[in-house]
Amino acid sequence: MVTTIPVDPVAKPGLVLTAQVVLLSSSPLLTIALIGRMPVDAMHVRGLYQPVTFVLFAVVIGLGTTAQVATARAVGSGERQQVRGILTSLLRTGVLVSLGLTVACLCLVPFVDHRLLALIGAMTMTVPFSVAGELTSGALLGAGFTGVSTAVAAAHVVLHGAVVAVVGLGLGAGLVSLPIAAVVAGGMEFLAGALLLRRRGLLAGSAVSVSMRPLLLQVGLPSAGTLLVLFGVTLVLVVIVTPFGPAAITAVAVGAVVEELVLAPAFGFGIMMGSLMNRALAAGERERAWSVFRRGTALAAAAYAVLALAMLLVGQWLAPLVTSDPATSAAVEHCLGIVGPSLGAAGITVTMLTVVQQLGFGALPLLLNVLHYVTVLSVGAALIAHGSLAALYWTISLAAVVSAAAGVPLAWWITRRAVFRR
């Protein structure tokens, strides 16, 4: 007989975690809206910088996801004393990666505009602060404390936006406010998260590093790899649309941020499902893990059906909110009007593939993403050569629907095998 659990154990933490991820993902959109009130050249530089954000975000999310999964498994198996060592090891990795990115940035000096290079260099040096905050949040999520983690996330977004508004707009510092905001908000998130972990007894163990290499390769690297794929995709899209002018470049950048915001609930809900399933599997409760997956998938599908309808009806209204320039607003509206509704199909696919990733099968979602985007870019580039941005946008939209038709049943099959054949 199949053991089921009530909806609440899935829905309540899922909604809380989804709210947290939406809050975090809304930060870039809020930032772009604030930059849109700065001189037009600042928005253009931010648009060129957009691909780089995926590289930095890949580092943060790869390490944060690893912390979340490792903590969930440690708590589920009764080894809470390992959490401190897990975080110590991953923080050290984050600092080393940040140093590597800063050195790589120096190699770009002969090739990149000095304003863009200055922004990239400054942001790479803020990565340790972002990583530290994400690690403590990931540990709280893995241990099941989604409510307090969401409160910290809300404070992070508010503080980040406030610093950009005060320093960037109020004091006229412009893009200089971005690294300052990253340091202040990331530092606050780390301190608050560490305090919450300590009060809940999750930092009582040894600070000796725990070997995280297997889990980093199994979970962290594929999670980061997915965002690195998005880096390549966004970079290629910027190159493809460059002949259409700065407004088109900004439209692609804003479209990427909106996509990130709309798909944030998918990542959040998928992470929540994976966390609950990992804890259940660590305790030997296979039927409970499968019940979490079934109920969570049903909730995600219903939510994204509503979201797709909302994007169809009001998605284009986002354009005037992110820029006051009429040409740029028209370009953004054109992009979102075509691509926006298809994000509903992408959402359920991302939710299920995130679960697959959380269960340790990260290479498959990464491979599917690569195949998806190679196809989109190849077809889109060929069509846009005829002078139509709409052809590129329609290619992106239709590809999302086709990927859902193939990816959803595949993820269902893989998850069932993972749960019952461990």
Side-chain angles (χ1 to χ4, degrees):
M1 180 178 178
V2 177
T3 302
T4 60
I5 60 175
V7 174
D8 282 353
V10 178
K12 286 184 177 179
L15 291 173
V16 173
L17 180 53
T18 295
Q20 174 177 341
V21 179
V22 169
L23 281 170
L24 291 174
S25 297
S26 67
S27 184
L29 189 61
L30 173 61
T31 301
I32 281 186
L34 291 171
I35 294 174
R37 272 59 190 172
M38 297 178 188
V40 176
D41 64 330
M43 190 68 168
H44 180 55
V45 171
R46 179 58 177 78
L48 293 173
Y49 169 72
Q50 180 60 34
V52 181
T53 63
F54 286 115
V55 176
L56 305 184
F57 199 42
V59 176
V60 175
I61 290 299
L63 293 172
T65 301
T66 304
Q68 182 265 318
V69 173
T71 302
R73 292 180 179 180
V75 171
S77 59
E79 298 178 333
R80 296 163 63 95
Q81 72 278 3
Q82 290 188 358
V83 173
R84 187 175 178 183
I86 289 170
L87 298 181
T88 300
S89 178
L90 292 175
L91 181 57
R92 183 180 294 116
T93 301
V95 172
L96 292 175
V97 172
S98 175
L99 291 174
L101 289 173
T102 303
V103 172
C105 180
L106 295 176
C107 299
L108 298 175
V109 171
F111 310 105
V112 180
D113 177 84
H114 71 279
R115 296 173 303 168
L116 178 60
L117 183 64
L119 179 59
I120 294 174
M123 292 305 295
T124 58
M125 289 187 284
T126 69
V127 168
F129 295 90
S130 299
V131 166
E134 186 66 21
L135 290 179
T136 55
S137 292
L140 286 168
L141 292 176
F145 301 112
T146 52
V148 291
S149 185
T150 300
V152 174
H156 176 280
V157 172
V158 171
L159 186 57
H160 188 280
V163 172
V164 173
V166 172
V167 178
L169 289 176
L171 300 181
L175 295 178
V176 174
S177 62
L178 297 186
I180 296 174
V183 170
V184 173
M188 180 280 300
E189 184 180 17
F190 169 70
L191 293 175
L195 178 61
L196 290 167
L197 286 169
R198 184 176 180 179
R199 286 184 174 178
R200 284 155 179 78
L202 290 169
L203 295 181
S206 171
V208 176
S209 297
V210 176
S211 176
M212 298 302 300
R213 182 175 298 178
L215 199 58
L216 278 169
L217 294 174
Q218 191 180 47
V219 176
L221 189 59
S223 298
T226 299
L227 290 165
L228 290 176
V229 169
L230 291 177
F231 156 72
V233 170
T234 310
L235 183 62
V236 172
L237 285 175
V238 167
V239 172
I240 289 175
V241 304
T242 294
F244 292 87
I249 294 174
T250 301
V252 168
V254 172
V257 173
V258 171
E259 178 183 28
E260 181 184 339
L261 177 62
V262 171
L263 295 183
F267 286 110
F269 211 81
I271 289 170
M272 179 280 305
M273 289 166 62
S275 178
L276 291 178
M277 291 175 71
N278 273 314
R279 290 206 296 272
L281 290 171
E285 299 175 340
R286 298 175 185 271
E287 295 290 355
R288 184 172 183 270
W290 180 244
S291 182
V292 168
F293 178 72
R294 288 190 296 105
R295 292 177 181 276
T297 300
L299 288 169
Y304 269 100
V306 174
L307 190 144
L309 181 60
M311 287 299 297
L312 179 65
L313 297 176
V314 301
Q316 294 166 292
W317 295 358
L318 291 173
L321 300 179
V322 297
T323 178
S324 57
D325 180 63
T328 303
S329 180
V332 172
E333 184 176 346
H334 183 209
C335 175
L336 295 182
I338 297 174
V339 177
S342 69
L343 294 177
I348 184 60
T349 309
V350 169
T351 300
M352 298 182 72
L353 290 180
T354 299
V355 174
V356 171
Q357 201 169 60
Q358 292 279 305
L359 294 178
F361 297 90
L364 178 63
L366 179 58
L367 176 61
L368 292 177
N369 271 319
V370 171
L371 292 175
H372 170 84
Y373 286 115
V374 166
T375 302
V376 168
L377 292 175
S378 300
V379 175
L383 293 175
I384 205 173
H386 297 288
S388 173
L389 277 173
L392 173 64
Y393 298 152
W394 278 114
T395 300
I396 296 172
S397 183
L398 293 174
V401 176
V402 172
S403 294
V408 167
L410 179 61
W412 183 279
W413 178 74
I414 291 172
T415 303
R416 185 171 180 82
R417 286 177 61 88
V419 169
F420 292 108
R421 297 199 179 189
R422 282 197 175 192

